[in-house]
Amino acid sequence: EPEVTQTPSHQVTQMGQEVILRCVPISNHLYFYWYRQILGQKVEFLVSFYNNEISEKSEIFDDQFSVERPDGSNFTLKIRSTKLEDSAMYFCASVAGGTGELFFGEGSRLTVL
Amino acid sequence: GQSLEQPSEVTAVEGAIVQINCTYQTSGFYGLSWYQQHDGGAPTFLSYNALDGLEETGRFSSFLSRSDSYGYLLLQELQMKDSASYFCAVRTGTYKYIFGTGTRLKVLA
């Protein structure tokens, strides 16, 4: 069964450092997403990506964040200068179309010290 | 603003039926999804309602009333493995999916 894969599963970084989280969405999917979940809280929308450009972004997705699809398979989230409050689980997701079924990766846990 | 409200916690016993409600206020609405998330895991898709009415998938059913901006997830014949968090999510016109506040379901033996 096709799946979304994410790396790394866990990353520890110092405040102010740059972090890149990587995702390989399902190959025939068209829309890609990054979500964030602080422990015990809801799944928060960060950004959606379609046709090699940002479709929509939330107010959380400020200038510190960027996304890229550098090749035909990878989808990355970069945080330029991490803050303590960026500590969270980051989920990548993709969807084929209008089925309402988001496929999530297993997540990348980011810990900022 | 946009909001999706759910009860924070529901407790039920094995074999029982439980309903988890979701009321939403969003700019744009194309459908309501439900996801299950076990502790430490990723959300997994359960169901999607684009039209009013009831959708049934095994022990799980989901209902939508667009006129009331309301939906619910119904879990029947509860099992211990159903203990998890459940999130409703609204798809807006831009293929943006916004998640609700989440409901933690505890199933007791």
Side-chain angles (χ1 to χ4, degrees), chain B residues 30-78:
Chain B
Y30 279 74
L32 183 72
S33 304
W34 287 93
Y35 289 81
Q36 179 190 64
Q37 185 181 34
H38 286 101
D39 285 347
T44 56
F45 173 80
L46 294 175
S47 68
Y48 178 66
N49 294 68
L51 303 174
D52 287 357
L54 191 68
E55 294 280 341
E56 298 180 69
T57 310
R59 294 188 297 114
F60 294 0
S61 303
S62 57
F63 172 82
L64 173 65
S65 169
R66 287 176 298 173
S67 60
D68 295 322
S69 299
Y70 165 76
Y72 65 73
L73 179 70
L74 192 73
L75 298 85
Q76 302 182 72
E77 300 172 20
L78 278 177

Side-chain angles (χ1 to χ4, degrees), chain A residues 3-87:
Chain A
E3 59 179 15
V4 176
T5 57
Q6 289 186 239
T7 54
S9 56
H10 188 194
Q11 181 153 358
V12 182
T13 190
Q14 295 292 324
M15 191 169 56
Q17 295 297 303
E18 177 182 284
V19 160
I20 297 177
L21 305 178
R22 292 181 168 80
C23 170
V24 180
I26 295 173
S27 60
N28 62 343
H29 284 187
L30 301 176
Y31 290 84
F32 314 125
Y33 304 82
W34 284 101
Y35 285 87
R36 180 180 82 175
Q37 187 177 35
I38 295 169
L39 187 64
Q41 298 187 23
K42 72 176 186 178
V43 179
E44 294 179 290
F45 171 81
L46 290 179
V47 66
S48 58
F49 194 85
Y50 171 72
N51 202 26
N52 285 321
E53 60 183 26
I54 290 174
S55 176
E56 195 157 345
K57 59 184 180 180
S58 72
E59 55 272 14
I60 302 170
F61 195 89
D62 60 21
D63 292 343
Q64 296 292 337
F65 291 89
S66 63
V67 289
E68 202 174 44
R69 194 148 194 249
D71 52 45
S73 58
N74 291 286
F75 179 49
T76 62
L77 174 69
K78 181 192 289 186
I79 309 174
R80 276 183 249 288
S81 178
T82 50
K83 305 170 191 165
L84 295 176
E85 54 265 36
D86 293 329
S87 294

